[in-house]
């Protein structure tokens, strides 16, 4: 299509100017013979250019339509694509009640590997770990070492190629996706390629914090803000939880934005 459209304009202008040449050539002879006046030849040249300019517009329309149909078929490809990650027939996982904690690991990986494409090196290679409830795990590594990819395996944004990933003792492939993604909250870094970006939308602090649980009470919101160490700057706002947030959280600093998104992930953590 690029080749076609790059050739279309020069060709139409070439035809147009060849036409003008032909009219002048033939018309000149006719004027000499006395069949035509010079004015008639000039009028003819003008009519001809006007007509051909309109034809150029139509030719450009063809280009626009070709582009549109090429784009449309690509968009349809995306819309018709069937996700390979499905949760059909998965039954809700029974979670241990608080206080009656069964001895299942909150998270366990068993020889989990993941690669971004056939032939590509493993981004996550044979990871085995077990994280008991209530414990914290930090993963440190250079850029591109697979930290974000490892985290994406937990809410099942990707399926491990080999090995398995389990949350609360159940393989993530057996969880209903809605429930899994309610239990697992992620706070991506702003510029990351992870599908969900850490973003704030215009509204109030409250409306940004209650995405995961619309019924969250003020105490729950303050507890989440406390844990994310965001309570201080929110308390300093005269409107508190109802302080306005601009699109993208522009009226907050980078660190404050990050803390608010962490607080959002912590809301509803007891209600899964
Ligand atoms: N969507 C993707 N498609 C292909 N390769 C990717 C994709 N995301 C990450 N990678 C590759 O996987 C490796 C691990 O990336 P990542 O998990 O984002 O690293 P980290 O978070 O530790 O900086 C890198 O080599 C990166 O190039
Ligand atoms: Mg990363």
């Amino acid at each position: 299509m690029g080749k076609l459209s790059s050739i279309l304009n020069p060709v139409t202008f070439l035809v147009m100017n060849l036409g003008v040449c032909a009219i002048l050539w033939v018309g000149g002879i006719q004027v000499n013979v006395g069949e035509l006046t010079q004015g008639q030849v000039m009028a003819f040249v003008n009519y001809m250019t006007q007509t051909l300019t309109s034809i150029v517009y139509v030719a450009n329309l063809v280009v626009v339509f070709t582009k549109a149909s090429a784009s449309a078929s690509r968009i349809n490809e995306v819309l018709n694509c069937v996700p390979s990650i499905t949760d059909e027939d998965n039954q809700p996982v029974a979670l241990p009640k608080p206080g009656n904690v069964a001895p299942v690991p909150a998270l366990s990986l068993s020889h989990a590997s993941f690669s971004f494409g056939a032939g590509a090196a493993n981004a996550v290679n044979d990871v085995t770990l077990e994280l008991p409830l209530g414990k914290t795990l930090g993963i440190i590594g250079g850029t591109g070492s697979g930290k974000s990819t490892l985290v994406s395996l937990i809410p099942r944004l990707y399926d491990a190629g080999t090995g398995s990933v389990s949350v609360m003792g159940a393989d993530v492939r057996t969880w209903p996706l809605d429930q899994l993604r309610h239990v697992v909250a992620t706070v991506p870094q702003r510029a990351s390629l992870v599908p969900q970006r850490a973003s704030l939308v215009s509204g109030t602090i409250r409306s940004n914090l209650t995405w995961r649980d619309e019924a969250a009470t003020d105490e729950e919101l303050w507890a989440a803000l406390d844990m994310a160490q965001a309570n201080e700057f929110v308390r300093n706002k005269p409107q508190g939880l109802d302080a306005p947030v601009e699109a993208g959280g522009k009226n907050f600093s980078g660190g404050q934005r990050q803390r608010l998104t962490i607080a959002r992930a912590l809301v509803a953590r007891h209600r899964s």
Side-chain angles (χ1 to χ4, degrees):
M1 201 218 46
K3 280 182 190 161
L4 180 73
S5 62
S6 62
I7 233 166
L8 213 54
N9 258 341
V11 165
T12 35
F13 277 105
L14 184 72
V15 169
M16 195 158 116
N17 287 311
L18 286 180
V20 173
C21 289
I23 292 168
L24 290 178
W25 181 269
V26 176
I29 295 170
Q30 299 289 311
V31 170
N32 276 345
V33 174
E35 286 276 316
L36 284 177
T37 64
Q38 287 169 346
Q40 282 172 322
V41 174
M42 283 323 292
F44 197 48
V45 167
N46 277 330
Y47 288 142
M48 156 101 178
T49 5
Q50 272 183 23
T51 321
L52 280 179
T53 319
S54 308
I55 290 176
V56 171
Y57 282 128
V58 175
N60 279 335
L61 270 187
V62 172
V63 175
V64 171
F65 277 107
T66 329
K67 275 188 186 169
S69 82
S71 309
S73 66
R74 293 184 132 198
I75 290 172
N76 278 333
E77 240 172 68
V78 174
L79 292 181
N80 294 335
C81 141
V82 182
S84 61
I85 292 179
T86 58
D87 61 350
E88 267 173 64
D89 304 328
N90 286 356
Q91 297 305 315
V93 173
L95 293 171
K97 301 260 173 303
N100 174 22
V101 177
V104 292
L107 169 69
S108 72
L109 273 72
S110 155
H111 299 288
S113 298
F114 176 80
S115 127
F116 276 102
N122 276 353
V124 172
N125 193 22
D126 196 14
V127 176
T128 300
L129 66 85
E130 198 156 286
L131 185 64
L133 276 169
K135 296 286 183 223
T136 308
L137 173 72
I139 305 169
I140 304 171
T143 35
S145 59
K147 305 180 296 293
S148 302
T149 312
L150 178 66
V151 168
S152 309
L153 295 179
I154 306 169
R156 214 178 157 210
L157 301 180
Y158 303 120
D159 265 335
T162 57
S164 66
V165 179
S166 303
V167 172
M168 304 302 291
D171 191 307
V172 288
R173 278 168 283 213
T174 66
W175 283 72
L177 284 177
D178 273 357
Q179 193 194 7
L180 177 65
R181 290 175 187 175
H182 202 83
V183 171
V184 179
T186 52
V187 184
Q189 74 209 67
R190 173 100 193 142
S192 87
L193 292 170
V194 177
Q196 316 136 300
R197 289 195 326 166
S199 49
L200 298 172
V201 296
S202 61
T204 61
I205 293 184
R206 188 197 307 278
S207 72
N208 271 284
L209 291 185
T210 49
W211 282 14
R212 285 163 55 76
D213 182 6
E214 281 172 7
T217 62
D218 279 15
E219 290 84 77
E220 286 171 323
L221 296 185
W222 282 114
L225 287 168
D226 249 344
M227 258 190 294
Q229 298 182 10
N231 57 343
E232 203 173 302
F233 72 86
V234 178
R235 257 182 236 285
N236 284 340
K237 299 243 168 216
Q239 297 115 306
L241 288 173
D242 292 310
V245 174
E246 285 172 24
K250 275 200 297 285
N251 53 337
F252 289 95
S253 78
Q256 289 174 334
R257 281 200 289 263
Q258 187 88 49
R259 278 162 202 217
L260 287 176
T261 53
I262 293 173
R264 171 164 65 206
L266 293 171
V267 170
R269 68 202 179 95
H270 292 309
R271 238 187 279 201
S272 296

